[in-house]
């Protein structure tokens, strides 16, 4: 965890005071609805279906036990006892009262948290790899860079009112787990041939209405220059991004309109003037920021014999370990994914009791630290192998040990029409209906890695474009329908899914997924994942199967009704 | 006559902002008497006529959000007042335009924010090099503006460098790593 110094704390405290005054002026009628909107948005407050929604920043997903307990407290005192983990590592409360928000922000500030720039047309929370600092395939730890970017982007005066929202993600591992190709700026930590550290810079990726995979604008920016280079990108965007149409205002549209080469040329033309300027980073600053992370110092441990014996003896434990336990940089340790996808619960939801219990679990077994993942699960980054059995037992009692991480039922889902005012359709009931259909764990293991993502509207908070199976809620004459894509993927080979055809009613969705799965089973090669089969044989046979079986179902029903 | 904020104080001000109405042309629009800030198009169309007024400090030029500040490059030494228009407060192009005027074009004269200038953006505007903030006439009472003066320093020590303070926090202050207990 990054620990605030006095400057970090003061900035957050000053923000709390500023927003309390703005809220007071809003209620006093001194600020119009239009004038207040960007102010509340930049403090994470949306006006939603039932109440304001408060989105709290969890910078690059890192949380500690004290913060978890505070979130639990806020859930109990100001909400209906639960919160939601978003696909950008953040935490959302669905029921706070606007007049309580300044007080909530004050409580958050007391545990080094805030809601700064979690919404609005500004630079949003920087996201990264939940396994940062512990991943076995790490090239460089992205967290200090994320923190440096967080500080630089916090109240950046030139970039506080951009044409549209702006998201930055940083990857530091061989396998991208930060979705950098689907961000406005994706930064990839790399070493050049001379052995110097820097960033490969992608720009203009994004999901939403117009999904686009980011394009490389620079193969290597030396780390010293990364803030200067990002400033150049943001300046070109701020000056030339479209402001006449919110749907065409993201940087990806500008990059497409100019062409990547022309865009890169304009960035370079700005960058030459910023290069080596005052914002150039120094080794001392990197060391200082890295030095404010209080990571546990882990000595390698011998492989734990007890753990191996328990794996051999207990089938359920072994199943959990296979799906929810990941390799760690340091021998004798592992990372544990707590699944927030038990059946019948809104994906990514946590109750106040679970916040407290996870805090206890983290204190006992994981050095007090947890991370949110963009798949909407929670990670204990460093757990001794010898503790895994106990962690599993406790997680099971908490309903957080569903052994389905990376499987079909580990569904990414936005809150959808049950909560969100933007949604065209509900997401959570669809997720739950699919989970209900596929409850047999052995069957799920046999299907292997399969990512199913659901968004309730084209804003794509549920990342449906990059799901192996993606489901998008659409509105047809006031009715909720669902469009299905297949072949999307996150990671190094990121790709956007293709639509298989006309959309479906909610009740059809489990059958549609069954048809897709059966077509995969009939066509797969040994050890081939769903996504790989789709890539090999294309989407046509899936399409044919889904619609043929759908017609057969309709005919069967009609026959039965005659 | 409207109130402006300059040097951290509320001051009365008699500069008039000339905006071309429908049907008015830059080349022949009538210029009101007194101190005026004209659109870039008027300046460009009538530069020879207006230059003495600019040099005398009674005429300034304003830029719209979609106008390139480099269009004024050659004229900046003669201008004592340049304004940047915020057509809507949420339109943030003016922040980059101001930054470019100060950092790249070396403009040292008065830089004025005009248009939809709201008190909750004062802090950002000052950081980007504006020296005068001019909310639209009647937008705030004097009492409200006085209350807003506190927001000029909403954040006592911002992280990043900008026009007002080019050095970022890590170059201005000694920030320390954690004091870690010896293991």
């Amino acid at each position: 965890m990054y620990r605030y110094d006095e400057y970090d704390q003061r900035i957050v405290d000053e923000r709390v005071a500023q927003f309390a005054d703005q809220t007071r002026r809003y209620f006093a009628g001194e600020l119009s609805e239009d004038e207040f909107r960007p102010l509340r948005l930049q403090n994470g407050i949306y006006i939603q279906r039932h109440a304001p929604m408060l989105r709290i920043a969890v910078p690059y997903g890192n949380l500690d036990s004290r913060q978890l307990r505070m979130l639990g407290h806020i859930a109990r005192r100001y909400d209906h006892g639960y919160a939601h983990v978003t696909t950008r590592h953040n935490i959302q409360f669905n029921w706070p009262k606007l007049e309580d928000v300044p007080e909530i922000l004050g409580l958050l500030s007391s545990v080094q948290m805030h809601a700064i720039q979690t919404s609005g047309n500004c630079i949003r929370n920087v996201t990264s790899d939940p396994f940062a600092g512990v991943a076995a395939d790490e090239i460089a730890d992205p967290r200090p860079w994320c923190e440096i970017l967080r500080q630089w982007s916090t109240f950046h005066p030139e970039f506080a009112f951009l044409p549209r929202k702006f998201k930055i993600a940083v990857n530091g591992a061989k396998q991208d787990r930060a979705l950098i190709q689907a961000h406005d700026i994706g930064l990839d930590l790399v070493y050049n041939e001379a052995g110097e550290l820097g960033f490969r810079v992608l720009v203009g990726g994004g999901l939403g209405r117009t999904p686009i995979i980011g394009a490389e604008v620079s193969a290597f920016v030396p780390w010293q220059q990364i803030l200067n280079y990002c400033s150049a990108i943001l300046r070109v965007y701020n000056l030339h991004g479209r402001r006449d149409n919110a749907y065409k205002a993201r940087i990806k549209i500008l990059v497409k309109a100019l062409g990547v080469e022309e865009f890169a040329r304009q960035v370079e033309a700005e960058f030459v003037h910023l290069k080596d300027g005052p914002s150039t980073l120094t080794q001392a600053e990197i060391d200082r920021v890295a030095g404010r992370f209080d990571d546990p110092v882990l000595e390698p441990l011998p492989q734990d014999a007890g753990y191996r014996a328990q794996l051999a003896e207990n089938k359920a434990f072994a199943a959990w370990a296979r799906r929810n336990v990941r390799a760690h940089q340091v021998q004798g340790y592992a990372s544990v994914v707590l699944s927030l996808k038990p059946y019948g619960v809104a994906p990514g939801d946590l109750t106040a009791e679970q916040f407290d219990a996870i805090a206890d679990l983290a204190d006992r077994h994981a050095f007090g630290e947890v991370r949110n993942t963009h798949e909407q699960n929670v990670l204990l980054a460093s757990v001794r192998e010898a503790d895994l059995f106990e962690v599993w037992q406790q997680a099971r009692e908490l309903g957080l040990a569903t052994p389905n991480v990376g499987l079909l039922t580990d569904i990414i889902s936005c809150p959808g029409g049950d909560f969100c005012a933007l949604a065209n359709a509900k997401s959570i009931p669809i997720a739950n209906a699919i989970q209900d259909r596929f409850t047999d764990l052995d069957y799920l293991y046999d299907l292997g890695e399969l990512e199913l993502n659901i968004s309730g509207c084209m804003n794509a908070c549920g990342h449906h474009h990059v799901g192996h199976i993606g489901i998008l809620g659409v509105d047809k004459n006031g009715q909720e329908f669902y469009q299905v894509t297949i072949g999307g993927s996150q990671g190094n080979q990121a790709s956007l899914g293709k639509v298989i055809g006309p959309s479906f009613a909610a009740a059809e969705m489990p059958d549609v997924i069954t048809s897709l799965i059966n077509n995969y089973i009939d066509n797969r090669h040994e050890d081939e994942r769903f996504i790989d089969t789709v890539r090999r044989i294309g989407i046509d046979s899936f399409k044919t199967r889904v619609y043929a079986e759908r017609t057969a179902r309709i005919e069967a029903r009609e026959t039965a009704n005659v | 006559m409207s109130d402006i904020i300059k040097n951290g104080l509320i001051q009365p001000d008699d500069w008039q902002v000339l905006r071309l109405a429908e049907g008015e042309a830059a080349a022949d629009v009538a210029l009101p008497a007194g101190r005026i800030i004209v659109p870039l198009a008027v300046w460009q169309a009538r530069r020879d006529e207006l230059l003495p007024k600019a040099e005398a400090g009674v005429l300034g030029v304003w830029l719209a959000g979609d106008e390139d500040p480099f269009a004024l490059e050659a004229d900046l030494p003669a201008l004592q007042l340049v304004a940047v228009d915020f057509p809507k407060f949420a339109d943030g192009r003016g922040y980059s335009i101001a930054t470019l005027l100060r950092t790249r074009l070396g403009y040292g004269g008065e830089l004025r924010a005009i248009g939809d200038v709201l008190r909750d953006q004062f802090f950002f505007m000052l950081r980007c090099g504006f020296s005068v903030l001019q909310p639209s006439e009647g937008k705030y009472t004097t009492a409200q503006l006085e209350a807003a003066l506190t927001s000029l320093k909403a954040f006592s020590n911002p992280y990043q460098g900008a026009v007002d303070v080019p050095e970022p926090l890590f170059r201005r202050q000694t920030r320390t790593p954690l004091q870690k207990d010896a293991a």
Side-chain angles (χ1 to χ4, degrees):
Chain A
M1 276 298 292
Y2 176 83
R3 299 292 170 195
Y4 282 8
D5 68 6
E6 57 185 304
Y7 298 100
D8 299 310
Q9 187 65 51
R10 195 178 311 143
I11 282 173
V12 172
D13 290 343
E14 286 170 339
R15 176 60 148 195
V16 173
Q18 182 194 45
F19 189 65
D21 179 55
Q22 290 168 340
T23 308
R24 183 193 59 72
R25 283 188 280 128
Y26 169 69
F27 281 118
E30 291 176 41
L31 273 169
S32 71
E33 206 62 65
D34 279 351
E35 290 169 2
F36 186 55
R37 184 180 305 115
L39 306 178
R40 66 168 162 77
L41 287 174
Q42 298 208 4
N43 282 287
I45 303 157
Y46 284 82
I47 301 301
Q48 284 293 17
R49 213 155 269 234
H50 304 291
M53 179 200 86
L54 176 61
R55 182 183 292 153
I56 292 163
V58 182
Y60 36 96
N62 288 199
L63 284 164
D64 68 18
S65 53
R66 201 162 67 109
Q67 295 172 331
L68 285 170
R69 290 190 183 95
M70 180 58 82
L71 292 168
H73 171 69
I74 292 168
R76 259 187 293 267
R77 171 128 183 235
Y78 300 94
D79 204 279
H80 290 181
Y82 65 97
H84 177 76
V85 177
T86 79
T87 49
R88 299 198 75 257
H89 305 334
N90 293 323
I91 298 274
Q92 287 177 185
F93 287 108
N94 288 303
W95 306 90
K97 290 197 189 71
L98 180 57
E99 50 268 41
D100 287 339
V101 169
E103 197 173 296
I104 297 172
L105 295 181
L107 289 172
L108 290 171
S109 171
S110 74
V111 292
Q112 306 189 352
M113 293 188 85
H114 59 76
I116 295 166
Q117 291 169 214
T118 53
S119 180
N121 296 334
C122 52
I123 303 173
R124 302 285 190 86
N125 183 33
V126 177
T127 56
S128 187
D129 176 5
F131 295 90
V134 300
D137 67 339
E138 192 154 276
I139 294 160
D141 187 346
R143 291 172 303 160
W145 303 102
C146 290
E147 179 56 27
I148 284 166
L149 286 160
R150 182 189 77 82
Q151 297 190 12
W152 164 79
S153 61
T154 298
F155 312 138
H156 197 301
E158 192 181 341
F159 308 128
F161 291 91
L162 297 169
R164 198 71 181 85
K165 59 188 171 183
F166 201 92
K167 301 172 180 178
I168 303 178
V170 188
N171 170 52
K174 289 194 188 112
Q175 179 63 40
D176 168 32
R177 286 175 290 264
L179 220 61
I180 59 168
Q181 296 180 76
H183 278 78
D184 296 284
I185 293 181
L187 298 176
D188 204 12
L189 277 159
V190 288
Y191 284 98
N192 66 6
E193 283 170 8
E196 295 153 343
L197 187 65
F199 295 89
R200 185 169 74 96
V201 181
L202 311 179
V203 175
L207 301 176
R209 194 172 286 259
T210 315
I212 295 177
I213 297 290
E216 184 179 295
V217 292
S218 176
F220 188 83
V221 174
W223 62 262
Q224 294 90 339
Q225 304 296 341
I226 195 62
L227 297 183
N228 296 328
Y229 196 80
C230 286
S231 293
I233 293 170
L234 262 306
R235 184 171 293 163
V236 170
Y237 172 55
N238 191 39
L239 284 168
H240 304 298
R242 284 181 64 171
R243 290 177 186 267
D244 59 332
N245 181 343
Y247 299 132
K248 296 184 188 301
R250 294 287 291 272
I251 196 173
K252 60 192 171 189
I253 305 292
L254 177 66
V255 174
K256 271 269 182 260
L258 292 175
V260 181
E261 272 138 55
E262 173 57 18
F263 177 80
R265 190 198 63 74
Q266 293 190 13
V267 169
E268 196 60 33
E270 276 304 319
F271 177 57
V272 292
H273 299 281
L274 295 166
K275 194 166 180 266
D276 299 324
S279 298
T280 304
L281 291 166
T282 61
Q283 189 62 52
E285 173 63 359
I286 307 308
D287 293 345
R288 182 194 72 78
V289 173
R292 291 206 72 82
F293 282 82
D294 64 349
D295 290 351
V297 180
L298 304 179
E299 296 297 333
L301 299 170
Q303 291 199 333
D304 189 73
Y307 170 52
R308 274 154 191 78
Q310 281 146 348
L311 282 179
E313 283 161 22
N314 190 319
K315 214 179 143 204
F317 176 59
W320 175 79
R322 191 166 128 212
R323 291 314 318 176
N324 298 26
V325 174
R326 297 294 152 91
H328 194 284
Q329 275 178 5
V330 180
Q331 184 186 291
Y333 289 85
S335 298
V336 170
V337 184
L338 300 174
S339 170
L340 304 190
K341 317 292 176 64
Y343 302 149
V345 170
D349 272 12
L350 275 173
T351 65
E353 293 66 37
Q354 285 175 324
F355 275 117
D356 288 346
I358 293 173
D360 293 344
L361 202 55
D363 279 339
R364 278 199 301 273
H365 301 288
F367 306 92
E369 189 203 0
V370 311
R371 288 123 181 249
N372 291 344
T373 78
H374 82 257
E375 288 96 349
Q376 301 174 291
N377 290 314
V378 166
L379 178 79
L380 303 173
S382 301
V383 178
R384 281 183 202 87
E385 282 185 356
D387 289 6
L388 287 171
F389 192 76
E390 202 183 325
V391 168
W392 172 64
Q393 287 178 314
Q394 291 172 12
R396 216 154 57 142
E397 276 171 34
L398 298 168
L400 299 171
T402 312
N404 62 346
V405 172
L407 301 179
L408 173 62
T409 55
D410 184 11
I411 294 172
I412 296 181
S413 171
C414 71
D418 291 303
F419 295 97
C420 179
L422 301 172
N424 289 323
K426 296 187 181 72
S427 306
I428 296 165
I430 302 301
N432 291 159
I434 293 166
Q435 288 172 332
D436 279 346
R437 170 69 58 93
F438 298 93
T439 49
D440 181 341
L441 275 174
D442 289 331
Y443 184 68
L444 285 172
Y445 292 141
D446 176 61
L447 295 180
E449 256 178 65
L450 213 171
E451 296 173 7
L452 192 153
N453 299 356
I454 308 178
S455 304
C457 75
M458 71 243 308
N459 288 306
C461 296
H463 295 176
H464 64 278
H465 303 107
V466 292
H468 298 171
I469 299 174
I471 299 176
L472 167 66
V474 292
D475 175 280
K476 283 211 296 203
N477 305 321
Q479 300 256 52
E480 297 185 0
F481 278 83
Y482 297 89
Q483 188 182 70
V484 173
T485 51
I486 59 172
S489 169
Q490 55 171 326
N492 293 2
Q493 274 87 49
S495 56
L496 302 170
K498 295 197 179 81
V499 178
I500 63 166
S503 54
F504 306 93
E508 296 181 275
M509 289 312 296
D511 291 329
V512 170
I513 303 304
T514 299
S515 298
L516 289 171
I517 297 297
N518 288 341
N519 193 60
Y520 156 63
I521 290 172
D522 292 349
N523 287 284
R524 70 178 168 185
H525 290 168
E526 206 179 331
D527 289 334
E528 190 176 51
R529 298 178 307 162
F530 178 89
I531 179 69
D532 298 320
T533 304
V534 176
R535 282 179 179 151
R536 182 170 54 76
I537 68 175
I539 73 166
D540 287 347
S541 70
F542 288 91
K543 192 169 164 172
T544 309
R545 177 91 169 238
V546 166
Y547 290 96
E549 292 183 354
R550 180 200 208 194
T551 307
R553 275 195 308 276
I554 293 168
E555 283 170 3
R557 222 174 11 247
E558 282 167 359
T559 314
N561 288 342
V562 168
Chain B
M1 205 65 157
S2 64
D3 283 343
I4 58 165
I5 290 180
K6 185 174 185 175
N7 301 325
L9 297 169
I10 300 165
Q11 301 183 12
D13 180 75
D14 62 359
W15 284 88
Q16 297 176 67
V17 177
L18 176 72
R19 292 176 188 272
L20 288 181
E22 188 104 4
E24 286 182 335
D28 59 9
V29 63
L31 302 183
R35 305 203 283 178
I36 56 168
I37 309 173
V38 299
L40 176 67
V42 171
W43 172 257
Q44 288 176 325
R46 294 152 72 172
R47 189 176 180 281
D48 292 346
E49 173 199 342
L50 302 179
L51 187 62
K53 291 186 176 197
E55 287 176 331
V58 294
L59 184 134
V61 178
W62 65 267
L63 292 166
D66 57 357
E67 287 172 339
D68 184 358
F70 287 86
L72 277 180
E73 187 166 15
D75 299 326
L76 286 175
L79 289 170
Q80 297 174 35
L81 191 157
V82 173
V84 178
D85 186 45
F86 288 80
K88 287 181 292 190
F89 74 94
D91 181 338
R93 289 174 295 191
Y95 299 105
S96 285
I97 292 171
T99 301
L100 287 170
L101 280 165
R102 290 298 195 203
T103 59
R104 289 272 289 287
L105 293 166
Y107 175 65
E110 179 174 317
L111 185 55
R112 183 178 283 232
I114 61 170
D116 196 12
V117 173
L118 302 185
R119 59 165 286 185
D120 291 291
Q121 281 78 56
F122 284 176
F123 174 78
F124 293 135
M125 288 171 172
L126 289 185
R127 291 224 67 204
C128 289
F130 286 104
S131 54
V132 170
L133 309 172
Q134 180 176 352
S136 53
E137 205 164 338
K139 175 69 199 166
Y140 296 117
T141 64
T142 306
Q144 284 173 333
L145 267 191
E146 269 162 16
L149 289 179
T150 55
S151 64
L152 300 180
K153 275 269 156 205
F155 299 97
S156 50
N157 235 329
Y159 284 123
Q160 63 295 101
V163 175
D164 62 341
V165 184
E167 308 256 282
L169 182 57
F170 71 86
R171 290 182 191 271
R172 300 194 304 269
Q173 305 286 347
T174 306
R175 303 184 72 188
T176 51
L178 275 184
Q179 299 305 309
K180 287 179 188 164
D181 299 329

